[in-house]
Amino acid sequence: MKILVCIKQVPDLESRFKIAASGTWYAAEDLAWRLNEYDEYAVEEAVRLREASGEGELVVLSLGPERAGEAIRKALAMGADRGVHLLDPLSHDKDPRQIAGAIAEYARGEKFDVIFTGLQSQDRGSAQVGLLLAGLLALPAVTTIVAFSHEAGLVTVRRELEGGARAVVKVRLPALFTCQLGLNTPRYPTLPNIMKAKKKEVRTIAVTDLPQVAALVRTEKLAFPDKRGAGVVLEGATSEVADRLIAILKEKTTVLK
Amino acid sequence: MKVLLVGEYRDGKILPSTYETVAFARKLGAAAALFLVADPSDLPRFAGKLYLAAAQQCGEYNPEGHLALLLQAVQAEEPDFIVFLHSAYGWDLAPRLALALDLPQISEVVALAEGAFVVPACNGKLRRTLRPLGQRAVLTLQSGAFNADGEPAGTPQVAPLTWAGSAVVELVGYEAASRGAVDLSRAEIIVSAGRGIGKPENLALIEGLATVLGGEVGASRPVVDAGWAPHERQVGSTGQTVAPKLYIACGISGAVQHLAGMKKSGFVVAINTDGDAPIGEVADVLVVADLKQFVPLLTGKLGGV
């Protein structure tokens, strides 16, 4: 079985963001970077399928700047066989259709049986790239999966719905799946596997060498949301702060007896 | 301006979120038609044209079938915008339609901005303003961002649609959410634990505070996904929707999905080390502190009241 998992490197969301000089994206300086959380589940599910099927290969792909290579190495340490880095220093300016278009240009000739992506990225959250990629490759796709099982080319998944209900869905391979949080328990790469991952092949392809896809959306502005304003901010784990909080709760709510 | 609204139907019922798209059309000042795959004997309350396909015929979840039907409605209606909810149904179908029509899609719209659309970024910490290039676009709306004003009313003029194909993706059935003995929707006080508790042992701190307040323990999705708390404790769009008199969010950043489940709370206290966390937007009091120090302090004082 030939498996592709598409991943993205995103900033740690606990970071303190600053708006870049362009005014359309966050400044990349002083941020800690990590593998997009949804993609951790996608990589884990891909590795499990790879291990269960025994033969074939698992390719991990990321489109992004130089540093996205770190996310590829992490996926390789989790168990992917080889990496593909679609190098694009300007990926933050690309819209979902451009990103899916570039990935499709690479993936079209590879004839993958299964493709996993995260449901969405934590920074953009468009939830489009996986489905657009499936559409461009003419593959069936199922989104927001929280359970996956495979037997002889037939896949059964559970889609998570609002309120926690699930839909049980069947589809034949080849197909693409977008992974929701909680799909599995992503493994931590072990030190020997981190060392092994350093020797695995990563092929770099400049997106400028692929056919270009026109943008459909323009980002006009990135900004901080307006604070609701009414909230009181108290700082510090101190006795005084606890007293003030209790005083506020006594005044503003009826629940403190 | 014309919009085609895509309603939602699941497990035999039209979902109330359908009416959020109607509220959005009103806010946009656009003439609206509605598309729905549902039971033709149970029509939505909507004054306008309804493109309706029978769920009995083409299934409640059948992406290829619903896309083909939607393309018929788009061809007949020629809308400027096709509007979905940003939901398990909407985010699954919208990009398929955008690709088929070669249109831009803007996901999770929370506000309008002079012909452009405002969407969240970085889990709600930031807002992006996006403008579709061209006159037409596919939009998905953040759940709860455009609330219906008043009861929906009207009787639609039905334009029936039919689909004759074979489904590529087969919906086998539904599994109900696991609900234990806990019904958080009735709790007057909820103390919720988020990722900021750091390790499962620290859940005891949250339980301690809930106990002295006589409240229930809630949890955010990451805490449930990590197996630190059962799903029946999860607050959010894929867990329980709650409206207690007092909600104390401990170490919860305030992802959109979490806020959707607790924003109707009467009074919200957030305890978080990150003063910029989006939970601060809905908090009446934001305590910028490490919950591991602050919660025991607060519990001790309340216990001695």
Side-chain angles (χ1 to χ4, degrees), chain B residues 94-120:
Chain B
R96 302 176 200 261
L97 182 75
L99 186 66
L101 295 170
D102 203 19
L103 288 181
Q105 178 186 330
I106 296 179
S107 300
E108 207 174 359
V109 173
V110 295
L112 303 171
E114 296 162 10
F117 301 93
V118 181
V119 306

Side-chain angles (χ1 to χ4, degrees), chain A residues 163, chain B residues 179 182-192 216-220 231-249 252 257-268:
Chain B
R179 286 271 188 273
V182 190
D183 183 2
L184 295 180
S185 67
R186 289 166 196 279
E188 292 216 324
I189 300 174
I190 296 175
V191 186
S192 274
E216 289 282 355
V217 172
S220 72
H231 181 262
E232 65 197 37
R233 297 275 172 193
Q234 187 176 321
V235 174
S237 55
T238 55
Q240 298 201 48
T241 300
V242 301
K245 288 181 178 161
L246 173 62
Y247 188 88
I248 304 182
I252 293 177
Q257 293 77 7
H258 188 78
L259 300 185
M262 50 64 73
K263 62 187 171 194
K264 292 193 176 125
S265 303
F267 197 86
V268 176

Side-chain angles (χ1 to χ4, degrees), chain B residues 236-297:
Chain B
S237 55
T238 55
Q240 298 201 48
T241 300
V242 301
K245 288 181 178 161
L246 173 62
Y247 188 88
I248 304 182
C250 306
I252 293 177
S253 65
V256 169
Q257 293 77 7
H258 188 78
L259 300 185
M262 50 64 73
K263 62 187 171 194
K264 292 193 176 125
S265 303
F267 197 86
V268 176
V269 176
I271 302 164
N272 209 305
T273 51
D274 180 1
D276 292 332
I279 192 80
E281 283 174 58
V282 298
D284 297 285
V285 180
L286 171 64
V287 180
V288 183
D290 186 340
L291 73 93
K292 294 188 281 293
Q293 277 110 48
F294 187 74
V295 170
L297 193 64

